[in-house]
Amino acid sequence: RCVEETEVKSFIKVLNLAKYVAMAALLVGTTAACSDDDDENNGGGSSSFETPKYEAEAAKYVINDQSTSPYKSIELTASGNFIIQPSDYVNNAMQKAPAKGKKTIVQRLTGMLTAHNAIPQTRYEVNTMMIAYGKYTKTGENQYDLDGFGTLTIKKDADGTTRSIILTRTGQEPVEYTAHEQKTNPDSEMTSKLCRTWNIESYRYSMKANGRTLFDFTGNTIKELAAKMKAWAEKNDPEFDESDWDDEDVLGEYNPKDVIFTKTGTYMVLYSNDWLDISTWAWENEKNGILRYSWNPDNLYDDDYSGEVKVEFNNNKLHLIEFDIDKDEDDGTIYEENVTYIMHEVK
């Protein structure tokens, strides 16, 4: 083994544990045991996924005239979820005057699974014009039941082109909107594997200095991972202060729980407190599994709201890896920080 001094950046920033960002200060200048094993074990093994149940129904229907519609789009995912987004004018009005009793949270931290926009308090409250989300079932040709919301009918012409949709909210009269079907991104084996609903089952956080592992922790929850980080800090930091870890009950409040990817470039993150947010993605380098995301749906390269993650499939699980490489200008050390979300498919 070897022992090196390192400036360790907090994984808490990436995992959106805002009350713990002070931990970074605790880890500056500490000593850490370096592993002689430079290989990472991400599970290994090949992956083979069944076609999602509703792959043939997956589509995103965009309302043509949003100035008179409360809805912007209705998307049916391959895994059987529906996502209804409010039109811009409704969304803007809500931002100016949120419904009574509603709470929003605005995050400005980095990370693909860290929301950057106002999040509805609950994904199941479909009686407002906030984002509506739930499960759907096919009830007939181009007809669907949207659980907790109502029904959807797609009207197409003789050529199979979508011309309009009919939405019937539960207990209300049907309303027809002219609409078109959004084009999907080019399909591929990687895209087909990715585009389904995922549940996060564990987290991994590792740090390397010049290719040598300083630490590598895995936990089934962020709270478990934080406990391992606390134990590591207690062992390695001569200025460790127990009081800096007194607020652990906040862990899990806003943590990512489920992630949905679709072939139209949508991805949705659902959080442990039943909040959610929606953004966009595209392959930056599909061959190497590099995915680009942006919390600005109109700009994939927005400096403030975009980034890259690495996608790997191991033993039929998705490994979504947030990575950061930083060089210390003083001593030339290259630090590599990885936060990995390990997910299984929700069927």
Side-chain angles (χ1 to χ4, degrees), residues 18-27 244:
K19 290 192 177 182
Y20 286 80
V21 291
M23 174 185 165
L26 289 175
L27 303 182
D244 289 310

Side-chain angles (χ1 to χ4, degrees), residues 131-152:
I131 299 167
Y133 163 82
K135 288 283 189 179
Y136 75 86
T137 54
K138 184 176 182 179
T139 57
E141 187 66 25
N142 297 321
Q143 295 181 335
Y144 307 90
D145 179 76
L146 312 180
D147 186 28
F149 188 90
T151 63
L152 169 68

Side-chain angles (χ1 to χ4, degrees), residues 59-63 71-76 82-85 146 152 165 167 177:
K60 183 175 182 177
Y61 302 98
V62 181
I63 307 298
Y71 312 110
K72 180 177 183 178
S73 63
I74 295 90
E75 185 158 14
L76 305 179
F82 72 86
I83 303 168
I84 302 179
Q85 298 192 55
L146 312 180
L152 169 68
I165 63 171
L167 270 175
Y177 303 96

Side-chain angles (χ1 to χ4, degrees), residues 31-291:
T31 59
C34 298
S35 169
D36 289 325
D37 183 7
D38 289 338
D39 294 329
E40 290 192 14
N41 178 16
N42 281 333
S46 61
S47 295
S48 178
F49 296 94
E50 296 180 356
T51 301
K53 180 179 180 179
Y54 287 110
E55 176 70 29
E57 312 302 324
K60 183 175 182 177
Y61 302 98
V62 181
I63 307 298
N64 292 342
D65 184 4
Q66 295 181 30
S67 64
T68 59
S69 167
Y71 312 110
K72 180 177 183 178
S73 63
I74 295 90
E75 185 158 14
L76 305 179
T77 78
S79 297
N81 305 108
F82 72 86
I83 303 168
I84 302 179
Q85 298 192 55
S87 61
D88 290 338
Y89 90 92
V90 169
N91 194 43
N92 291 337
M94 288 188 62
Q95 296 303 314
K96 294 177 182 178
K100 184 178 181 181
K102 288 293 164 194
K103 298 178 181 178
T104 60
I105 181 170
V106 179
Q107 303 293 344
R108 299 300 179 197
L109 303 180
T110 59
M112 185 179 190
L113 302 190
T114 305
H116 280 243
N117 300 313
I119 309 172
Q121 187 175 14
T122 168
R123 66 180 187 264
Y124 294 115
E125 182 154 346
V126 295
N127 292 322
T128 70
M129 291 300 101
M130 293 182 178
I131 299 167
Y133 163 82
K135 288 283 189 179
Y136 75 86
T137 54
K138 184 176 182 179
T139 57
E141 187 66 25
N142 297 321
Q143 295 181 335
Y144 307 90
D145 179 76
L146 312 180
D147 186 28
F149 188 90
T151 63
L152 169 68
T153 299
I154 312 299
K155 295 184 69 174
K156 301 184 178 184
D157 61 20
D159 296 327
T161 302
T162 298
R163 296 302 181 186
S164 66
I165 63 171
I166 301 174
L167 270 175
T168 306
R169 298 286 300 272
T170 302
Q172 299 182 21
E173 294 296 317
V175 181
E176 185 169 357
Y177 303 96
T178 58
H180 64 276
E181 188 172 336
Q182 181 173 311
K183 292 182 179 180
T184 60
N185 296 325
D187 202 0
S188 66
E189 181 180 358
M190 282 285 285
T191 300
S192 292
K193 286 182 178 180
L194 179 69
C195 291
R196 54 194 73 219
T197 299
W198 302 93
N199 175 260
I200 301 176
E201 64 177 45
S202 61
Y203 306 82
R204 182 182 180 188
Y205 176 51
S206 65
M207 176 72 76
K208 287 185 176 183
N210 288 336
R212 302 183 68 82
T213 301
L214 299 175
F215 52 76
D216 190 341
F217 300 114
T218 300
N220 292 328
T221 64
I222 293 181
K223 189 169 185 177
E224 180 182 333
L225 193 60
K228 292 182 179 181
M229 289 300 298
K230 176 183 177 181
W232 182 89
E234 185 173 12
K235 179 180 179 181
N236 291 281
D237 182 11
E239 298 181 5
F240 176 81
D241 185 348
E242 180 76 26
S243 66
D244 289 310
W245 299 85
D246 288 345
D247 210 10
E248 289 186 35
D249 58 339
V250 75
L251 292 170
E253 187 175 359
Y254 306 125
N255 298 332
K257 179 182 176 183
D258 293 343
V259 186
I260 297 173
F261 291 94
T262 78
K263 293 181 179 179
T264 63
T266 297
Y267 81 89
M268 172 187 283
V269 184
L270 297 96
Y271 297 89
S272 54
N273 64 342
D274 283 341
W275 289 13
L276 56 73
D277 206 357
I278 292 177
S279 194
T280 188
W281 74 275
W283 290 115
E284 181 72 14
N285 185 329
E286 184 177 352
K287 181 179 179 181
N288 292 321
I290 304 300
L291 180 152

